[in-house]
Amino acid sequence: MADDKLVAVKVADIGNQLPNHVSPSQLSSFDRCSLAYWFSSVAGWREPAGLPQIIGTLVHDVLENFLKIKAENRTKEAAWNMLRDTGEVVINNNKSWLTEEDLVTLKDKSAESLKGYFDLEDPTQLEIDLEDLERPVTAIFESVKLYGRLDRMTRDGVVRITDYKTSKRPAPQYLTDSLRQVMLYAAGLKENGLEVGEVELIYLPGRDRVRRPTYKSALDRAVQHLVTTRRKMDSSLTKQTWMANPGSPCKSCAFVKACPAKTAKAPIPGTKESEDLLQTLNLEKRVRSKSSNATSGMEMLPFGEEAQ
Ligand code: SF4
């Protein structure tokens, strides 16, 4: 975020609602707009998934389940059957708002991602342990808890973390954030005694693969970013002031009408007026887990297991 564009927004005191852990996706969310992070991860308002998220989740689910089957059975036919079956469920779950055009986009883009996958690798040759699919990663750095799930890890001579992307490969300057996320997983695993040799981003529709070796300064930078970001979150919470980033993040933000940086008469976030407004926008609030202040394991997740 460029600091000159940021707008400080005061929020009401809603208590200490900061999640006990930080996931790589939360870091990105905070970096994009910390006020949107506050609405979502602190106040607990659920952002409805848009079409790109739904396509991403569908493709990730299909690839996860596809790689769980025996290597010799990982045929294109099996993958397309899974895409059809899982896609039907996804469409049914979202039929209230998906338009005809959305359906075409969903089918085309998910199929294109799967085709890209088969162009990039031969899944019958891929050796993978089931525990390395959607593997949880937990570590504590300077009393900041990292928790997230990586897409997959392989161990074919080199231990490699892979992250699938259903978008196009971004310009080089925007790769940093995605690489830092996988480097953070590598740092978390290293903390648990497992050395990761490489990280990999696979941009499925464009058939693009980005691989980087892990090295100390990259892991240190990822950890430093985790720790400094958490300190900024703590400071924002204490000051009850969060930085809004009015600009491109607003295009896909569910909180525009309740955001004082974008909507002049929006009430102070966290007040009853703001909560009522968000409810009239049909947004839902997550139920906070009773064990959100526990000190270990999955119990530290604030709203159930939604971290990515
Ligand atoms: S509308 Fe824009 S500035 Fe406001 S919370 Fe959303 S992303 Fe941030």
Side-chain angles (χ1 to χ4, degrees):
M1 288 193 279
D3 285 354
D4 56 336
K5 291 188 196 152
L6 303 183
V7 177
V9 174
K10 197 89 183 155
V11 302
D13 183 2
I14 58 169
N16 183 358
Q17 304 275 311
L18 212 52
N20 284 324
H21 76 284
V22 186
S23 69
S25 64
Q26 283 178 19
L27 292 176
S28 297
S29 163
F30 181 86
D31 284 345
R32 211 163 36 249
C33 174
S34 71
L35 182 63
Y37 170 85
W38 179 86
F39 275 116
S40 172
S41 293
V42 182
W45 290 98
R46 198 187 292 276
E47 286 183 86
L51 193 55
Q53 288 82 25
I54 286 179
I55 294 168
T57 304
L58 169 60
V59 172
H60 278 73
D61 285 353
V62 169
L63 286 176
E64 181 191 350
N65 289 322
F66 180 64
L67 292 179
K68 281 181 183 167
I69 62 180
K70 282 187 179 166
E72 64 265 30
N73 295 331
R74 294 180 196 147
T75 61
K76 286 188 180 175
E77 190 189 359
W80 253 263
N81 284 341
M82 283 185 174
L83 180 61
R84 201 172 306 114
D85 292 349
T86 313
E88 253 176 48
V89 175
V90 167
I91 289 169
N92 267 330
N93 288 345
N94 295 281
K95 64 184 174 199
S96 60
W97 64 272
L98 285 172
T99 64
E100 283 301 314
E101 196 184 339
D102 290 338
L103 286 176
V104 172
T105 305
L106 187 146
K107 287 176 185 172
D108 285 354
K109 294 212 163 171
S110 54
E112 197 51 34
S113 286
L114 217 48
K115 281 185 204 158
Y117 172 74
F118 277 92
D119 287 344
L120 280 165
E121 70 182 16
D122 177 357
T124 63
Q125 300 302 310
L126 193 72
E127 287 181 27
I128 191 157
D129 291 337
L130 292 187
E131 64 174 17
D132 289 338
L133 290 166
E134 289 291 318
R135 182 189 172 107
V137 179
T138 308
I140 295 180
F141 298 100
E142 295 180 39
S143 48
V144 178
K145 175 161 177 158
L146 163 71
Y147 174 79
R149 282 180 182 271
L150 50 81
D151 285 348
R152 80 175 198 206
M153 190 168 70
T154 46
R155 306 168 192 241
D156 57 353
V158 56
V159 178
R160 180 183 302 116
I161 293 173
T162 298
D163 196 34
Y164 306 120
K165 304 286 184 192
T166 49
S167 55
K168 284 191 298 186
R169 178 179 172 153
Q173 66 267 34
Y174 299 114
L175 267 182
T176 316
D177 183 52
S178 298
L179 283 168
R180 192 169 50 208
Q181 290 195 15
V182 272
M183 287 290 182
L184 187 54
Y185 282 129
L189 289 173
K190 187 178 165 78
E191 198 66 8
N192 286 284
L194 178 59
E195 289 281 347
V196 175
E198 272 184 5
V199 294
E200 174 182 64
L201 307 173
I202 294 184
Y203 291 90
L204 297 163
R207 285 103 172 130
D208 260 318
R209 194 196 291 278
V210 178
R211 276 187 186 166
R212 297 283 186 275
T214 60
Y215 50 98
K216 186 176 181 314
S217 59
L219 300 188
D220 288 349
R221 273 199 302 275
V223 169
Q224 199 50 46
H225 179 246
L226 168 81
V227 172
T228 52
T229 304
R230 179 63 185 214
R231 302 283 181 255
K232 286 184 198 169
M233 292 172 180
D234 287 335
S235 165
S236 298
L237 191 77
T238 305
K239 293 177 183 160
Q240 291 174 221
T241 301
W242 296 73
M243 304 310 286
N245 183 20
S248 56
C250 310
K251 283 185 209 148
S252 55
C253 179
F255 311 118
V256 175
K257 289 192 177 152
C259 169
K262 283 297 283 185
T263 302
K265 292 193 175 158
I268 294 171
T271 57
K272 182 166 185 318
E273 290 84 349
S274 179
E275 305 266 298
D276 289 347
L277 172 62
L278 289 162
Q279 263 166 6
T280 64
L281 299 172
N282 286 329
L283 296 182
E284 289 174 14
K285 211 166 182 182
R286 299 180 190 94
V287 177
R288 182 167 286 269
S289 156
K290 282 189 185 136
S291 52
S292 64
N293 288 322
T295 52
S296 65
M298 299 295 294
E299 290 148 6
M300 291 182 80
L301 293 175
F303 297 116
E305 194 184 341
E306 296 194 46
Q308 290 299 308

